[in-house]
């Protein structure tokens, strides 16, 4: 089963992707996480990506597409994957289609997480993420950790992403509207898009997503 998750920054893609991937027994592939891992390891790719990420812009396709392909070719992704944050523009979507077609494969669904813009800014400004596992996400007011700066799940240190500042969030939103949103129409033309509201409790959104995927017959 091959699924793409789309939605604006702050829609909860990372959180939902982790739960959905677990429910569907497929790996969660996040290009943002892959870039952040490269930044922590101080690789050349990480250094290049950081300059774009800190400004809220997309990392160039030449770098991103190759990295995503390498990850999708790993053995654990043989029977499917859930892509989070890739593709992020139409040329990446076309490259993904070509890669899959070359292997005789295709996507099963594109899950579109909808959230109002004012909610996005509030969510991101207060977001705190665990250094040990990016699926452990907290919020200073909506989901405060029991102890300030410490992950409730694993005790890891919580931090604010460099690109979660209000100014960068505005750029990321603009990039989302101009470059990423067009992929929704691209996939609508293929009959793949399932749209759900990303408002409410995390577990309710996951249940809504699973139901919608089944109802639309995208997922057995
Ligand atoms: P995310 O963790 O998905 O919010 O991604 C964080 C940042 O990583 C984005 O704002 C981009 O700078 C970069 N990034 C992640 N995925 C991609 C992609 N598919 N194409 C280009 N840049 C990306």
């Amino acid at each position: 089963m091959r699924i793409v998750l789309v939605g604006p920054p702050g829609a909860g893609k990372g959180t939902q992707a982790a739960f959905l991937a677990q429910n569907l027994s497929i790996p969660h592939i996040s290009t943002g996480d892959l870039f952040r891992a490269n930044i922590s390891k101080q690789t050349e790719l990480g250094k290049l990506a950081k300059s774009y990420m800190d400004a809220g812009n997309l990392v160039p396709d030449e770098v991103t597409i190759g990295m995503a392909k390498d990850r999708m070719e790993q053995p654990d992704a043989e029977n499917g994957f859930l892509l989070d944050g890739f593709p992020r523009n139409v040329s990446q979507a076309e490259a993904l289609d070509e890669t899959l077609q070359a292997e005789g494969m295709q996507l099963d669904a594109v899950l579109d997480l909808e959230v109002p813009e004012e909610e996005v800014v509030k969510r991101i400004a207060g977001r705190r993420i665990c250094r040990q596992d990016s699926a452990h996400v907290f919020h200073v007011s909506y989901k405060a950790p029991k102890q300030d700066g410490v992950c409730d799940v694993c005790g890891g240190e919580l931090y604010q992403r460099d690109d979660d500042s209000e100014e960068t969030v505005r750029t990321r939103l603009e990039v989302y509207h101009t470059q990423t949103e067009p992929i929704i129409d691209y996939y609508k033309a293929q009959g793949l898009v399932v749209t759900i509201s990303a408002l409410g409790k995390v577990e309710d959104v996951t249940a809504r997503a699973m139901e919608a995927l089944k109802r639309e017959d995208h997922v057995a």
Side-chain angles (χ1 to χ4, degrees):
M1 190 177 319
R2 294 173 183 87
I3 299 177
V4 166
L5 202 55
V6 285
K13 289 191 298 299
T15 307
Q16 288 306 325
F19 286 115
L20 291 170
Q22 202 177 9
N23 280 347
L24 297 165
S25 304
I26 46 177
H28 165 204
I29 300 182
S30 155
T31 39
D33 282 351
L34 292 173
F35 284 132
R36 281 183 286 277
N38 274 279
I39 293 174
S40 312
K41 288 190 217 136
Q42 301 187 329
T43 66
E44 285 307 311
L45 171 64
K47 281 179 209 159
L48 174 94
K50 186 167 170 43
S51 58
Y52 292 93
M53 290 168 78
D54 284 353
N57 290 317
L58 295 187
V59 180
D61 287 350
E62 304 83 79
V63 175
T64 307
I65 292 169
M67 180 185 74
K69 267 189 186 176
D70 284 351
R71 178 63 189 89
M72 284 184 274
E73 280 165 8
Q74 299 299 309
D76 66 335
E78 211 175 342
N79 294 318
F81 46 70
L82 192 148
L83 292 176
D84 158 18
F86 182 88
R88 248 183 166 94
N89 60 29
V90 172
S91 35
Q92 291 181 9
E94 287 169 348
L96 175 61
D97 272 353
E98 276 166 31
T99 308
L100 293 174
Q101 272 158 23
E103 302 287 327
M105 299 184 297
Q106 59 189 38
L107 290 174
D108 295 291
V110 173
L111 185 67
D112 170 28
L113 296 183
E114 252 184 0
V115 57
E117 190 132 335
E118 60 277 20
E119 177 68 17
V120 160
V121 178
K122 272 193 252 164
R123 281 187 183 192
I124 295 189
R127 176 158 78 174
R128 299 294 181 269
I129 295 167
C130 175
R131 279 206 196 277
Q132 298 199 36
D133 187 338
S134 64
H136 303 162
V137 183
F138 296 82
H139 189 282
V140 289
S141 14
Y142 300 155
K143 192 187 169 198
K146 289 194 189 83
Q147 193 185 334
D148 234 14
V150 180
C151 175
D152 286 357
V153 184
C154 68
E157 182 200 354
L158 297 180
Y159 76 108
Q160 181 172 34
R161 275 171 45 173
D162 286 345
D163 59 349
D164 274 356
S165 70
E166 191 163 337
E167 197 194 329
T168 311
V169 170
R170 304 247 172 236
T171 311
R172 287 165 62 201
L173 274 170
E174 201 185 307
V175 167
Y176 179 74
H177 291 313
T178 55
Q179 301 194 50
T180 308
E181 257 177 0
I183 72 171
I184 298 176
D185 281 339
Y186 175 89
Y187 285 129
K188 272 187 181 159
Q190 300 183 18
L192 289 173
V193 178
V194 179
T195 302
I196 61 155
S197 163
L199 291 179
K201 283 197 207 143
V202 170
E203 54 272 31
D204 292 345
V205 179
T206 312
R208 208 176 289 151
M210 288 298 295
E211 234 170 70
L213 288 169
K214 283 184 189 152
R215 194 174 47 236
E216 304 269 335
D217 229 15
H218 288 285
V219 169

